C-alpha cells in the first residue's frame, strides 16, 4: 500500500475548504431535487453502486472553484436514490500518477470493502494545456465506504498512448471481474478495451469490444451491462463524431447501442444513437440495484457551453436516476419510481380546462414541479403548442417540422433540440422542472430530453399558437426540495 500521507493532507484541505465556503453559494439556480456539489464544480457521475447497504454516487469534482480544475471525487450516499447525503471528498490528486486529477471511474463492493477504479491523470506540460498527458487505471479501497486509501496503478498504457481512461468494473456470476475503458489507439482511432481479473489487482487484456465508428477518436466513460437475456447495452460518450440532422448537435455527445456479447466480442444490433435529445446530458454511468433494476445517471451539463453560473460558486448537477429497459429493439429510460416520493400537492385539470385555442394559460409558479399530460398531434391544429417557462424555455409540438422541440431562449445559450415524432399516435410526456433544468420523458421513456436554463422566472404556462391543442389529463405536482439545503458532512 502506498504511503497515504499526501492523499490524507489533500483530502483534509478540500474538506476544510468546502466547510468554510459552502455558505457562499448563490442558490438562485441551485437544484431542489437533483444532486449538485455543496460548493464547486461537478462533471461526470462516478462510482455509482449499491454497496455496504447503501447507494453511493461519486462525481468528478473541483472543490475550490465553480470551474473545472484538478479533479477530486465528491461523494454522496442514499438509501432511496432521491434523498442524498453529502459525504467527505473521497479522492484527491496527490501522487505522481494522478497529480493532475483523479479522473472518472467506477466502484464495486468486494469482500466487505468498497473498491474504486479510477484514472490517474498526469499532465506533462504547462497548466491549462493538456495536449501531452499520461493516464493509468488506479485502484483505491475503503473499509467503511467513506474513507479511501490509494493502492496504486493497475493498468498502464503502451508507449505513445495518451487517451486511456474511464474504467467501468463489474463482476460476473463466476466471480470474475471485468473492466472496460476508452482508448485512442496509435492509429488515432477510438476503441473500448476489455480486461478481466480475479482479484482487481492483476488484469489481463481480453479483447476490443468496440472499434472506431463514424470517426470517434476516443470513447469517454464507457459502460456495459446486460438488460435482458444476452441483450447487452454499450453506453459511451464518443469524441469526434460530426453532427447529423437533428442528432449529435451537442459539443459532446452521449450515445448507446444494444447487441449481444459472448464474453469477448460485442455484436451490435444498431449503430450508436442518442438516448437523450436535450442539450445537457453526458458521461452516463449505471448500477444494478438489489431488486434487479438497472439505473443510470448522467452529468446534466455540457462541455464547451457557457456555464452561466460560474460566479455563483457551484456549477453542474446530475440527472434524475433513470431506470433502463429494453423493449421492441429500443432502449428506454424513465425516472426511477422512487421519484414519486417527491410529490406534494397535486392539481388535476379537466379536459375542458386544458384545451386551448390561440392562447396561453398559467399553471404553476414553482421551481420544483412535475407535469404529466398526453397529446395526439393529428387531433390538434395549432401551429405550435406546449410548455413555457418564463422567458427561458419553450417545449413544443411543432406543426412545421413535426417534432417535439425544446428551445432554450437564454442569451449566450440560445438554441433548440428537436425530436421527430409520429403524428397519428398519442404521446405521453412526464416533465420535471428543477429551478434551472428541465427533464422530459416521452412515451414512458422511449425518449428523453434534458436541458438547463438560466432564468429566474419560474412561471410555467401551457400555450397553443394559431389553432387549438388539448393537453389531455394534465396533472401538476409541486415537488419536495430535499437537495436544496442538503446538510454538509460532519
Ligand atoms: C468526460 C471526461 C472523462 C474524464 C473526466 C475528467 O466528461 O472528460 O473522460 O475522465 O471527464 O474530468
Amino acid at each position: 500500500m502506498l504511503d497515504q500521507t499526501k492523499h490524507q493532507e489533500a483530502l483534509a484541505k478540500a474538506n476544510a475548504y468546502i466547510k468554510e465556503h459552502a455558505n457562499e453559494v448563490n442558490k438562485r439556480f441551485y437544484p431542489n431535487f437533483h444532486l449538485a456539489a455543496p460548493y464547486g464544480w461537478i462533471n461526470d457521475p462516478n462510482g455509482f453502486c449499491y454497496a455496504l447497504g447503501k447507494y453511493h454516487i461519486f462525481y468528478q469534482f473541483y472543490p475550490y472553484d465553480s470551474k473545472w480544475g484538478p479533479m477530486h471525487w465528491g461523494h454522496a450516499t442514499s438509501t432511496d436514490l432521491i434523498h442524498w447525503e453529502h459525504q467527505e471528498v473521497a479522492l484527491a490528486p496527490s501522487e505522481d500518477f494522478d497529480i493532475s486529477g483523479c479522473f472518472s471511474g467506477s466502484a464495486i463492493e468486494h469482500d466487505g470493502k468498497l473498491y474504486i477504479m479510477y484514472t490517474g491523470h498526469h499532465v506533462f506540460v504547462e497548466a491549462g494545456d493538456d495536449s501531452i498527458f499520461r493516464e493509468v487505471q488506479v485502484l483505491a479501497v475503503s473499509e467503511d465506504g467513506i474513507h479511501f486509501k490509494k493502492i496504486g496503478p493497475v493498468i498502464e498504457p503502451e508507449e505513445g498512448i495518451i487517451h486511456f481512461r474511464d474504467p467501468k468494473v463489474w463482476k460476473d456470476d463466476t466471480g470474475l471481474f471485468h473492466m472496460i475503458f476508452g482508448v485512442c489507439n496509435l492509429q488515432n482511432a477510438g476503441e473500448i478495451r476489455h480486461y478481466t481479473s480475479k482479484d482487481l489487482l492483476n488484469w489481463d487484456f481480453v479483447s476490443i469490444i468496440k472499434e472506431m465508428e463514424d470517426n470517434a477518436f476516443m470513447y469517454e466513460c464507457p459502460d456495459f451491462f446486460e438488460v435482458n437475456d444476452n441483450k447487452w447495452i454499450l453506453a459511451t460518450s464518443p469524441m469526434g463524431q460530426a453532427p447529423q440532422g437533428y442528432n449529435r448537435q451537442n459539443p459532446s455527445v452521449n450515445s448507446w447501442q444494444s447487441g449481444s456479447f459472448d464474453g469477448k466480442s460485442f455484436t451490435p444490433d444498431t449503430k450508436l444513437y442518442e438516448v437523450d435529445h436535450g442539450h445537457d446530458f453526458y458521461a452516463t454511468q449505471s448500477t444494478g440495484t438489489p431488486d434487479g433494476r438497472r439505473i443510470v445517471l448522467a452529468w446534466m451539463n455540457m462541455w464547451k457551453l457557457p456555464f452561466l453560473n460560474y460566479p455563483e460558486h457551484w456549477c453542474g448537477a446530475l440527472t434524475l436516476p433513470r431506470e433502463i429497459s429494453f423493449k421492441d429493439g429500443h432502449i428506454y429510460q424513465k425516472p426511477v419510481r422512487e421519484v414519486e416520493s417527491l410529490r406534494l400537492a397535486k392539481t388535476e385539470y379537466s379536459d375542458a380546462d386544458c384545451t386551448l385555442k390561440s392562447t396561453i394559460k398559467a399553471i404553476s409558479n414553482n421551481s420544483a414541479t412535475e407535469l404529466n399530460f398526453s397529446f395526439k398531434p393529428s387531433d390538434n391544429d395549432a401551429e405550435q403548442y406546449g410548455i413555457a417557462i418564463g422567458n427561458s424555455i419553450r417545449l413544443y409540438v411543432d406543426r412545421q417540422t413535426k417534432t417535439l422541440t425544446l428551445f432554450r431562449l437564454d442569451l449566450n445559450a440560445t438554441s433548440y433540440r428537436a425530436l421527430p415524432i409520429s403524428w397519428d399516435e398519442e404521446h405521453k410526456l412526464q416533465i420535471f422542472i428543477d429551478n434551472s433544468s428541465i427533464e422530459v420523458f416521452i412515451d414512458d421513456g422511449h425518449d428523453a430530453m434534458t436541458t438547463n436554463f438560466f432564468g429566474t422566472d419560474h412561471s410555467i404556462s401551457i400555450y397553443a399558437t394559431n389553432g387549438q391543442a388539448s393537453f389531455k389529463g394534465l396533472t401538476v405536482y409541486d415537488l419536495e426540495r430535499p437537495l436544496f439545503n442538503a446538510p454538509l458532512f460532519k
Side-chain angles (χ1 to χ4, degrees), residues 225-237:
F225 50 86
E226 195 173 6
V227 268
N228 300 340
D229 260 350
N230 198 26
K231 185 59 73 185
W232 285 71
I233 289 177
L234 179 68
T236 182
S237 298

Side-chain angles (χ1 to χ4, degrees), residues 38-338:
Y39 186 95
W41 162 278
I42 276 188
N43 54 283
D44 317 349
N46 292 155
F48 190 24
C49 64
Y50 184 85
L52 310 178
K54 293 180 178 163
Y55 291 102
H56 295 256
I57 186 73
F58 302 84
Y59 47 83
Q60 288 286 279
F61 182 34
Y62 187 57
Y64 298 107
D65 204 344
S66 51
K67 57 185 182 212
W68 193 88
M71 283 288 109
H72 296 52
W73 276 39
H75 185 197
T77 54
S78 169
T79 51
D80 67 357
L81 294 160
I82 301 298
H83 298 84
W84 293 97
E85 276 178 49
H86 292 299
Q87 301 291 355
E88 293 178 26
V89 180
L91 296 174
S94 61
E95 311 303 316
D96 194 51
F97 55 77
D98 67 8
I99 199 64
S100 316
C102 300
F103 273 18
S104 285
S106 50
I108 191 162
E109 184 182 327
H110 174 50
D111 279 349
K113 296 180 189 146
L114 183 54
Y115 285 85
I116 282 177
M117 190 72 73
Y118 70 97
T119 297
H121 182 77
H122 181 139
V123 178
F124 292 101
V125 285
E126 298 290 303
D129 171 3
D130 63 1
S131 51
I132 306 174
F133 51 83
R134 179 177 157 82
E135 299 186 321
V136 294
Q137 314 320 338
V138 183
L139 188 64
V141 65
S142 170
E143 307 270 340
D144 62 359
I146 306 289
H147 302 97
F148 286 85
K149 291 181 176 156
K150 293 179 182 171
I151 295 173
V154 294
I155 302 184
E156 308 203 1
E158 54 270 35
E159 189 67 36
I161 297 242
I162 297 173
H163 295 277
F164 190 79
R165 62 177 172 275
D166 305 342
K168 170 75 189 202
V169 175
W170 73 96
K171 187 155 81 167
D172 70 21
D173 295 342
T174 70
L176 188 68
F177 293 103
H178 296 254
M179 184 198 313
I180 56 164
F181 56 87
V183 178
C184 174
N185 69 21
L186 292 168
Q187 288 72 47
N188 235 2
E191 63 188 33
I192 298 176
R193 293 193 186 173
H194 173 214
Y195 290 67
T196 54
S197 166
K198 292 196 172 77
D199 57 7
L200 292 169
L201 277 170
N202 301 289
W203 291 90
D204 299 315
F205 172 75
V206 179
S207 58
I208 291 170
I209 59 157
K210 173 86 186 160
E211 292 185 343
M212 183 161 79
E213 174 181 318
D214 289 358
N215 299 321
F217 68 85
M218 167 66 185
Y219 291 105
E220 293 193 315
C221 302
D223 194 355
F224 196 41
F225 50 86
E226 195 173 6
V227 268
N228 300 340
D229 260 350
N230 198 26
K231 185 59 73 185
W232 285 71
I233 289 177
L234 179 68
T236 182
S237 298
M239 297 170 85
Q241 296 185 330
Q244 240 181 10
Y246 288 127
N247 300 315
R248 305 201 305 220
Q249 291 293 337
N250 289 331
S252 298
V253 174
N254 177 271
S255 293
W256 298 26
Q257 63 190 164
S258 58
S260 52
F261 179 56
D262 64 7
K264 249 184 142 168
S265 339
F266 174 59
T267 312
D269 304 328
T270 61
K271 289 180 74 168
L272 288 164
Y273 61 93
E274 285 168 288
V275 295
D276 191 291
H277 306 268
H279 296 80
D280 294 290
F281 187 86
Y282 195 65
T284 48
Q285 177 148 135
S286 77
T287 184
T289 63
D291 62 3
R293 292 175 289 166
R294 174 61 52 172
I295 313 292
V296 71
L297 283 163
W299 177 38
M300 192 166 63
N301 277 81
M302 188 44 60
W303 294 117
K304 297 193 197 122
L305 273 182
F307 293 103
L308 300 188
N309 38 2
Y310 270 157
E312 324 246 326
H313 301 300
W314 75 280
C315 186
L318 305 183
T319 62
L320 285 176
R322 302 172 179 192
E323 180 177 347
I324 303 305
S325 58
F326 185 77
K327 278 182 281 184
D328 306 327
H330 187 82
I331 302 166
Y332 283 70
Q333 45 169 335
K334 59 176 189 193
V336 291
R337 58 170 183 264
E338 288 86 343

Side-chain angles (χ1 to χ4, degrees), residues 410-424:
D410 294 315
L411 291 177
N412 288 345
T414 300
S415 88
Y416 71 89
R417 295 285 175 265
L419 174 72
I421 51 170
S422 61
W423 220 242
D424 295 324

